[in-house]
Amino acid sequence: AGTLTFSSAGLKGEFRGQIGVTIPNVIMSGEFSVEIDTNRLVPANRFIRVDGANIVATIAGQRMTGDFSFEQTTNAMGLKVVRLGLSDITLTLKNATTTFVSVTNGQGLLVINGNGLAGFFSASAAFSVPGVTISANSIRIEINTGLQAVKESFVVNGKTLFVDVPSGPFLRVEALGGRLTIGDNGAELSGDFAFEKGTATGGAQIVKFAARNVSITFDGQGLKNGVGGFVVTSNGIAGQLTGEIAVQGGGIDVSGFLGLRINQTGGAVDETVQVGADEIAVRFLADEGTIFSFFLSDATFKIGDFVTIEGSVSFNNSNGKDVFAGTGLLVFLGEGPVDRQDGSRNPAAKGALLSDAEIGLVRFANGTLAMVATGTVEIIGINGVSLAGQASIQFNNSGQIVNE
């Protein structure tokens, strides 16, 4: 039902109705309405709008529901602008026993004009295939193919949607509360992730990836509280990752705080990636050169009560040199543990102890080395044997003065 009016200004009116289809294996229902104004006198008033409320589509047993609105208007300069809005979208893909894809709370808005396409889509989603489950509290996709920022609003079945994206071109995908579970053995990856493809300063193409709250665990053990960001350009990759590691099993206990820094671009890097409300920075100075560095601080490595290694270590590959350093090191071999849980020395411990140790090692591209190591060595808990003193080792076959 509806009305259409023809005049010298053009066609104007609206009509609405229920939709029905008779296609095999396709069932569709819902209410549609159409508004149109072909105003010949004022181009900015021309538009056509189609609204669909409570649309239900079932195709071969797969179900999608939601509201949508489509609008084509003409701006003051006579250019066409198209808006497509989606709200309350749900999608289910399943067989008789298993739901493979479940999308809920879906909504989005696309704006198409003479500058390009801009918009967003967001939803909660879960994917399940035999042996693998993927889910996210929120997945959001943003895009802008134009060179100008876009800020628009659009009403879909009484709900106002907003798109507010910076100048492009860029494509951005964000998953908050993401979780990947493999099998029933406890292997899991979780966290907040963001991916962005765009244009860096100077016009070069760039890909950025960042993550926070990252956990990579097996039966609850592994890397936790991870934060990192990486940038990929035509010259190479640059980025950093930090997190806490805790692993126990088979009599081995490893814990500490680890970090990784890498820059293979050959130059300075200064980029940020948005993950939720946080900005993760990826920054390297030009004079750092090509770098690959790794560190493990406040670390503890134990094999039963027989081997204990504690301290902080770092590894750095830069400008053709490998540099390894360790500070505050403690190494115990024997019957332990060497310390009680309150940090005091265990009087029952027996074995060899190296404490307050420091080590520095530089390996050059030709395979030569320079090394210095110092520490306190003692034998503890063994009757009739006493040994204590300061030890120092220096070695250099590089043929050059080393000051690192």
Side-chain angles (χ1 to χ4, degrees):
T3 59
L4 291 175
T5 302
F6 295 89
S7 69
S8 59
L11 173 67
K12 183 177 181 178
E14 63 177 315
F15 58 90
R16 66 183 61 245
Q18 297 288 324
I19 187 173
V21 298
T22 57
I23 303 173
N25 296 318
V26 177
I27 302 173
M28 183 174 290
S29 63
E31 182 176 297
F32 285 82
S33 64
V34 179
E35 292 183 73
I36 187 171
D37 187 344
T38 64
N39 197 309
R40 298 174 182 173
L41 304 178
V42 185
N45 291 340
R46 295 175 189 165
F47 75 91
I48 180 171
R49 180 181 175 102
V50 181
D51 294 297
N54 303 313
I55 305 301
V56 179
T58 304
I59 303 174
Q62 313 308 313
R63 179 182 173 91
M64 182 175 71
T65 67
D67 307 322
F68 83 90
S69 294
F70 168 88
E71 182 180 75
Q72 177 179 295
T73 61
T74 304
N75 63 21
M77 295 182 294
L79 299 176
K80 291 182 179 179
V81 179
V82 175
R83 299 177 182 88
L84 173 63
L86 305 171
S87 178
D88 297 324
I89 301 297
T90 68
L91 171 66
T92 303
L93 303 179
K94 63 182 181 178
N95 60 18
T97 59
T98 304
T99 298
F100 298 108
V101 178
S102 175
V103 176
T104 58
N105 302 316
Q107 62 177 8
L109 173 58
L110 289 178
V111 178
I112 306 171
N113 55 33
N115 296 316
L117 179 150
F120 83 95
F121 180 80
S122 65
S124 300
F127 307 86
S128 180
V129 297
V132 178
T133 300
I134 305 173
S135 63
N137 296 335
S138 172
I139 296 177
R140 184 178 179 89
I141 301 171
E142 293 182 345
I143 186 172
N144 187 358
T145 65
L147 299 178
Q148 297 180 0
V150 175
K151 189 174 184 179
E152 296 264 359
S153 63
F154 193 52
V155 178
V156 180
N157 196 24
K159 179 181 291 186
T160 303
L161 303 177
F162 298 91
V163 59
D164 186 359
V165 293
S167 59
F170 76 90
L171 170 67
R172 174 182 170 78
V173 180
E174 183 178 77
L176 303 182
R179 188 177 300 274
L180 167 65
T181 304
I182 301 175
D184 299 323
N185 56 10
E188 182 177 277
L189 167 65
S190 62
D192 303 324
F193 306 93
F195 165 90
E196 184 176 321
K197 181 180 180 181
T199 304
T201 304
Q205 293 294 303
I206 188 172
V207 174
K208 298 189 283 189
F209 172 80
R212 67 177 187 184
N213 303 323
V214 175
S215 175
I216 306 173
T217 61
F218 182 87
D219 284 338
Q221 302 182 69
L223 175 71
K224 297 180 180 180
N225 299 320
V227 178
F230 293 88
V231 174
V232 181
T233 71
S234 58
N235 296 320
I237 184 172
Q240 55 204 27
L241 173 69
T242 60
E244 300 172 16
I245 187 170
V247 177
Q248 290 181 325
I252 298 177
D253 184 343
V254 181
S255 63
F257 187 82
L258 65 83
L260 168 71
R261 296 183 78 237
I262 180 173
N263 185 4
Q264 303 293 312
T265 67
V269 177
D270 188 359
E271 297 288 343
T272 58
V273 189
Q274 190 84 23
V275 184
D278 296 337
E279 281 192 346
I280 296 177
V282 180
R283 292 190 176 96
F284 292 86
L285 300 177
D287 58 9
E288 290 185 87
T290 299
I291 185 173
F292 177 90
S293 64
F294 170 87
F295 69 84
L296 184 62
S297 62
D298 300 325
T300 299
F301 175 82
K302 294 182 179 179
I303 302 177
D305 291 331
F306 304 102
V307 178
T308 299
I309 302 175
E310 298 178 354
S312 300
V313 297
S314 66
F315 170 83
N316 175 46
N317 176 277
S318 178
N319 300 321
K321 293 184 295 186
D322 294 329
V323 180
F324 174 85
T327 60
L329 297 177
L330 179 149
V331 180
F332 173 74
L333 303 175
E335 297 180 15
V338 65
D339 291 327
R340 295 168 172 168
Q341 289 197 357
D342 63 5
S344 63
R345 183 60 50 83
N346 177 15
K350 299 178 181 179
L353 175 66
L354 173 66
S355 60
D356 297 323
E358 294 183 353
I359 182 172
L361 185 148
V362 179
R363 184 178 68 177
F364 297 93
N366 61 5
T368 59
L369 302 173
M371 183 188 75
V372 60
T374 61
T376 300
V377 180
E378 56 183 313
I379 301 296
I380 59 174
I382 300 178
N383 292 331
V385 178
S386 177
L387 174 64
Q390 191 76 11
S392 177
I393 301 173
Q394 292 187 357
F395 176 82
N396 186 358
N397 68 349
S398 67
Q400 56 185 297
I401 297 174
V402 179
N403 184 12
E404 292 280 347

